[in-house]
């Protein structure tokens, strides 16, 4: 039996687009001699559809799309993921399911049992878990078909007390197929491979795994579909961050013609770079926009975001706005101009001194007798926010936010100023990682000016200002933030690692008191195991760990 894995980029709720791509892949696979084509979890509607699932019409459109796909399955079968209605009234209205379609008919329906409800996942909000399991029979072979988390069983994940495979194995299947929507994070790919390999080895069955690719707002799917032999050895790995289709010949419990391979693991920073490029590109394409605008200061953060945008969208579609204040240094302006010249993107220079002075004059009576402080600094940042938003409104640009994760964590940013934007490009990238990204971008040529990388970071909102005036050194700050945000360690746990107690408590307090700011920031492209946004839900007025 020849099985094609179709690793595709879907668009949530765009049924015509998704269905056309699926049918095109079915036709392509059939022309190459495939007997079965396998698509990802919820491929018909895109993942995650979230509250679209609460609309009856949405489910109707899923069924209509599946009917169109079925018509294409003559002489070739397919497996597609989609939501289906629950026939039992006592449970949730829907199942996360897969159709097995053969000769134009739905011959089997497989429902997902293990519904993740952690981090960015919220499947139990919508779906009823499966209680009954059975293999799919095709061309004389039994397929143990599971959906994503259903292979993250008790041996791999203590959240679950049972495994669908423990039931399916009783029927004597010949192979396993797992369809998935497994999001990217830079430390997840090895874990994913290990979990799947352990399943193949445990059940002594070859395993074909198909993942989707593409970004859905903040969540990025990296593809990397996989094939394992019955001993859990990896025999093929599909590309990351791009569409692809491959055909495997499975017979007698083996994947024919393939030998075990060694994975070539890309460095974290390379994976982050590729993920951010895909995230930017898909955000614009799927939103129906093509042009971006950002504030370019001459500093490292905006330089990296500008470079990523130029790579993702083309420099002709990127507008960099230089907005020097009266405190901006000449070298910052030069660094920003050098960058736009090297990338060839469009730019405007719009000084904010006149606007900031106007606000200062307007507020002079109300502020009489008060010293210059953070208020006047924030006015400058908000003037910049007004400028980039004006460019967005006038020309239809999408504003790229340039705040990094370190700043987002501790609230080192101005609401309605430098924290404005439609999408946060590096809001899940710590400052120390931003420097790594800059060096990676410069690996073949100096595109980001070296001065932007080596100079002390500064918001330049007061004379001789540096980030270090307000924040601990980023090398230390980022390590403590990683322990608290990603690993969810308490202050006492972090202090026990040898960090200064006062510093740890100060940083955690900054993170917690900045929660109200993060509630008002744009969605952030997720590249880590715990990003700010929908995957980290904290109360604004909570007292714990404050």
């Amino acid at each position: 039996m020849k099985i094609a894995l179709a690793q595709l980029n879907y668009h949530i709720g765009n049924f015509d687009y998704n269905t056309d791509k699926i049918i095109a892949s079915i036709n392509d696979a059939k022309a190459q001699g495939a007997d079965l084509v396998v698509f990802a979890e919820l491929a018909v509607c895109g993942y995650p559809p979230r509250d679209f699932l609460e609309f009856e019409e949405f489910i109707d459109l899923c069924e209509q799309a599946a009917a169109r796909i079925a018509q294409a399955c003559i002489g070739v079968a397919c497996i597609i993921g989609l939501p289906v209605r629950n026939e039992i009234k006592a449970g949730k209205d829907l199942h996360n399911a897969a159709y097995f379609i053969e000769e134009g008919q739905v011959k089997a329906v497989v429902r997902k049992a293990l519904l993740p409800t952690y981090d960015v996942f919220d499947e139990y909000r919508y779906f009823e878990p499966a209680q009954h399991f059975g293999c799919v029979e095709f061309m004389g072979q039994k397929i143990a078909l599971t959906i994503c988390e259903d292979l993250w069983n008790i041996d791999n994940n203590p959240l679950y007390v049972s495994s669908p495979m423990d039931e399916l194995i009783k029927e004597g299947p010949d192979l396993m197929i797992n369809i998935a929507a497994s999001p990217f994070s830079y430390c997840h790919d090895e874990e994913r491979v290990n979990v799947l390999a352990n399943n193949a080895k445990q059940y002594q069955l070859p395993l074909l795994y198909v993942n989707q690719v593409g970004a859905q707002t903040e969540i990025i799917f990296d593809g990397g579909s996989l094939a394992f032999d019955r001993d859990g050895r990896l025999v093929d790995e599909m590309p990351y961050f791009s569409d692809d289709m491959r055909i495997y010949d499975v017979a007698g419990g083996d994947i024919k013609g393939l030998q075990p391979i060694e994975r070539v693991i890309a460095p974290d920073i390379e994976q982050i770079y590729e993920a951010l490029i895909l995230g930017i590109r898909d955000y614009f394409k799927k939103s129906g926009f093509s042009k971006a605008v950002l504030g370019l200061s001459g500093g490292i953060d905006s330089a990296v975001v500008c470079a990523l945008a130029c790579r993702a969208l083309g420099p002709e579609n990127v507008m960099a706005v230089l907005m020097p204040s009266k405190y901006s240094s000449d070298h910052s302006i030069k660094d920003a101009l050098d960058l736009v010249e090297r990338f060839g993107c469009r730019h405007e220079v719009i000084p904010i001194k006149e606007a900031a002075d106007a606000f200062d004059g307007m507020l002079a009576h109300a502020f009489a007798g008060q010293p210059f402080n953070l208020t006047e600094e924030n006015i400058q940042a908000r003037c910049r926010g007004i400028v980039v938003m004006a460019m967005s409104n006038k020309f239809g640009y999408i504003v790229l936010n340039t705040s990094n994760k370190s700043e987002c964590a501790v609230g080192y940013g101005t609401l309605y100023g430098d924290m404005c934007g439609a999408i946060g490009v590096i809001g899940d990238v710590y400052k120390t990682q931003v420097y790594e990204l800059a060096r990676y971008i410069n690996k073949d040529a100096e595109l980001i000016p070296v001065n932007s990388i080596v100079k002390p970071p500064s918001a330049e909102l007061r004379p001789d200002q540096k980030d270090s005036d307000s924040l601990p050194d980023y090398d230390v700050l980022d390590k403590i933030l990683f322990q608290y945000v990603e690993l969810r360690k308490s202050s006492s746990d972090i202090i026990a690692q040898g960090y200064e107690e006062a510093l740890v408590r100060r940083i955690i307090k900054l993170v917690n008191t900045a929660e109200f700011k993060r509630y008002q920031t744009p969605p952030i492209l997720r590249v880590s195991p715990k990003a700010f946004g929908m995957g980290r839900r904290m109360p604004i007025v909570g007292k714990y760990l404050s």
Side-chain angles (χ1 to χ4, degrees):
M1 175 169 50
K2 292 186 177 180
I3 302 174
L5 299 187
Q7 177 177 292
L8 302 181
N9 188 337
Y10 305 102
H11 187 186
I12 294 171
N14 192 341
F15 291 100
D16 287 340
Y17 175 82
N18 294 340
T19 302
D20 288 346
K21 285 194 79 166
I22 290 169
I23 291 173
S25 294
I26 290 171
N27 292 334
D28 187 16
K30 181 180 177 181
Q32 296 184 52
D35 302 301
L36 173 64
V37 195
V38 185
F39 299 91
E41 179 180 12
L42 296 185
V44 170
C45 62
Y47 188 99
R50 298 182 183 162
D51 282 2
F52 277 170
L53 293 167
E54 296 179 350
F55 290 82
E56 286 290 324
E57 181 186 42
F58 188 82
I59 308 305
D60 290 341
L61 290 169
C62 288
E63 294 175 350
Q64 292 168 24
R68 275 188 61 201
I69 293 165
Q71 292 173 8
C73 291
I74 304 299
V76 63
C78 87
I79 292 169
I80 55 169
L82 75 168
V84 301
R85 290 184 171 90
N86 181 11
E87 297 173 353
I88 301 173
K89 298 299 182 185
K92 301 286 178 64
D93 291 338
L94 300 169
H95 288 284
N96 183 340
Y99 277 176
F100 175 78
I101 300 173
E102 181 185 4
E103 296 303 320
Q105 300 293 320
V106 177
K107 295 294 183 68
V109 181
V110 172
R111 297 165 178 85
K112 188 175 183 178
L114 306 183
L115 303 174
T117 56
Y118 55 87
D119 197 62
V120 298
F121 302 105
D122 200 9
E123 291 193 28
Y124 196 67
R125 175 184 176 96
Y126 310 102
F127 298 120
E128 180 72 9
Q131 302 293 330
H132 306 286
F133 310 98
C135 291
V136 174
E137 295 193 33
F138 180 59
M139 294 184 66
Q141 298 194 52
K142 289 184 178 180
I143 301 170
L145 174 59
T146 56
I147 302 173
C148 202
E149 198 90 0
D150 282 354
L151 283 189
W152 291 67
N153 57 31
I154 188 171
D155 295 329
N156 300 304
N157 191 335
L159 290 174
Y160 302 123
V161 297
S162 64
S163 166
M165 271 307 303
D166 288 340
E167 298 300 317
L168 293 170
I169 198 68
K170 297 174 184 177
E171 298 187 11
D174 298 286
L175 74 148
M176 295 187 287
I177 293 177
N178 183 262
I179 66 171
S182 180
F184 167 79
S185 81
Y186 60 81
C187 54
H188 182 55
D189 58 326
E190 292 183 65
E191 179 186 21
R192 182 195 295 158
V193 170
N194 290 336
V195 166
L196 294 168
N198 289 341
N199 273 273
K201 185 176 181 179
Q202 177 180 346
Y203 298 107
Q204 282 292 288
L205 292 172
L207 168 60
L208 297 178
Y209 161 87
V210 63
N211 189 25
Q212 61 181 260
V213 69
Q216 310 290 1
T217 312
E218 67 269 64
I219 303 178
I220 300 166
F221 298 94
D222 55 341
S225 302
L226 303 162
F228 299 86
D229 67 16
R230 59 169 55 247
D231 295 317
R233 297 176 299 183
L234 182 67
V235 296
D236 197 27
E237 183 175 25
M238 289 167 64
Y240 288 84
F241 306 110
S242 64
D243 288 21
D244 195 24
M245 184 172 69
R246 292 192 184 170
I247 297 176
Y248 303 93
D249 193 353
V250 182
D254 290 309
I255 302 174
K256 297 170 65 177
L258 294 178
Q259 298 298 319
I261 62 172
E262 291 291 331
R263 293 191 70 229
V264 178
I265 302 172
D268 288 350
I269 209 65
E270 180 181 334
Q271 295 183 53
I272 291 171
Y273 173 84
E274 296 293 343
L276 293 176
I277 295 294
L278 178 59
I280 296 168
R281 186 177 294 138
D282 268 14
Y283 184 85
F284 277 76
K285 180 180 178 181
K286 294 175 182 179
S287 299
F289 292 94
S290 61
K291 298 184 183 297
V293 63
L294 74 152
L296 188 66
S297 67
I300 187 71
D301 296 325
S302 60
V304 165
V305 171
C306 187
L308 291 168
C310 288
R311 289 282 172 84
L313 305 173
E316 70 279 5
N317 292 314
V318 177
M319 169 62 76
V321 185
L322 287 64
M323 297 169 284
S325 73
K326 57 187 174 185
Y327 304 113
S328 295
S329 60
D330 291 339
H331 66 75
S332 289
I333 299 170
K334 181 182 184 301
D335 292 338
L337 290 172
D338 285 347
L339 181 79
V340 297
E341 181 178 348
R342 292 172 189 182
F343 277 95
C345 64
R346 303 161 64 197
H347 75 280
E348 292 282 351
V349 180
I350 305 176
I352 62 163
K353 180 182 182 303
E354 189 175 340
D357 287 346
F359 275 106
D360 290 343
M362 184 174 65
L363 293 165
H365 178 73
F367 289 174
Q370 299 294 317
F372 179 100
N373 64 5
L374 188 62
T375 305
E376 285 76 15
E377 293 182 34
N378 284 342
I379 285 172
Q380 295 171 75
R382 289 182 176 124
C383 288
R384 288 175 172 145
I386 290 171
V387 171
V388 293
M389 288 307 303
M391 297 292 286
S392 171
N393 292 158
K394 184 64 70 175
F395 301 110
Y397 301 149
I398 290 290
V399 177
L400 301 179
N401 180 269
T402 63
S403 300
N404 64 62
K405 189 170 189 175
S406 308
E407 294 171 344
C408 291
V410 298
Y412 191 65
T414 304
L415 273 177
Y416 326 120
D418 57 318
M419 296 181 75
C420 76
I423 188 74
V425 175
I426 57 171
D428 197 28
V429 181
Y430 288 112
K431 186 76 169 188
T432 47
Q433 293 175 313
V434 174
Y435 285 108
E436 290 184 64
L437 267 176
R439 288 189 286 270
Y440 180 79
I441 292 167
N442 278 5
K443 65 183 181 354
D444 297 320
E446 185 186 325
L447 297 171
I448 295 175
V450 169
N451 195 50
S452 292
I453 301 174
V454 300
K455 68 185 177 186
S458 170
E460 295 191 326
L461 297 174
R462 64 174 183 265
D464 300 319
Q465 183 183 26
K466 293 181 177 61
D467 289 5
S468 56
D469 299 337
S470 306
L471 299 175
D473 183 82
Y474 282 116
D475 285 336
V476 176
L477 174 64
D478 288 355
K479 290 174 183 176
I480 293 174
L481 289 174
F482 185 85
Q483 293 293 318
Y484 181 51
V485 177
E486 270 87 341
L487 301 184
R488 278 89 78 195
K489 299 293 186 182
S490 68
S491 55
S492 57
D493 290 335
I494 301 171
I495 293 165
Q497 296 179 30
Y499 293 100
E500 181 187 344
E501 178 176 353
L503 177 62
V504 171
R505 297 196 183 282
R506 176 191 168 206
I507 290 171
I508 290 178
K509 184 176 178 62
L510 286 171
V511 175
N512 293 344
T513 54
E515 195 64 42
F516 79 99
K517 286 188 175 183
R518 291 190 291 272
Y519 266 65
Q520 301 179 67
T521 54
I524 291 169
L525 294 177
R526 177 188 183 272
V527 296
S528 82
K530 183 62 66 174
F532 293 123
M534 64 172 295
R536 186 179 187 273
R537 307 174 193 182
M538 295 291 185
I540 292 177
V541 295
K543 179 66 176 173
Y544 172 65
L545 292 174
S546 62

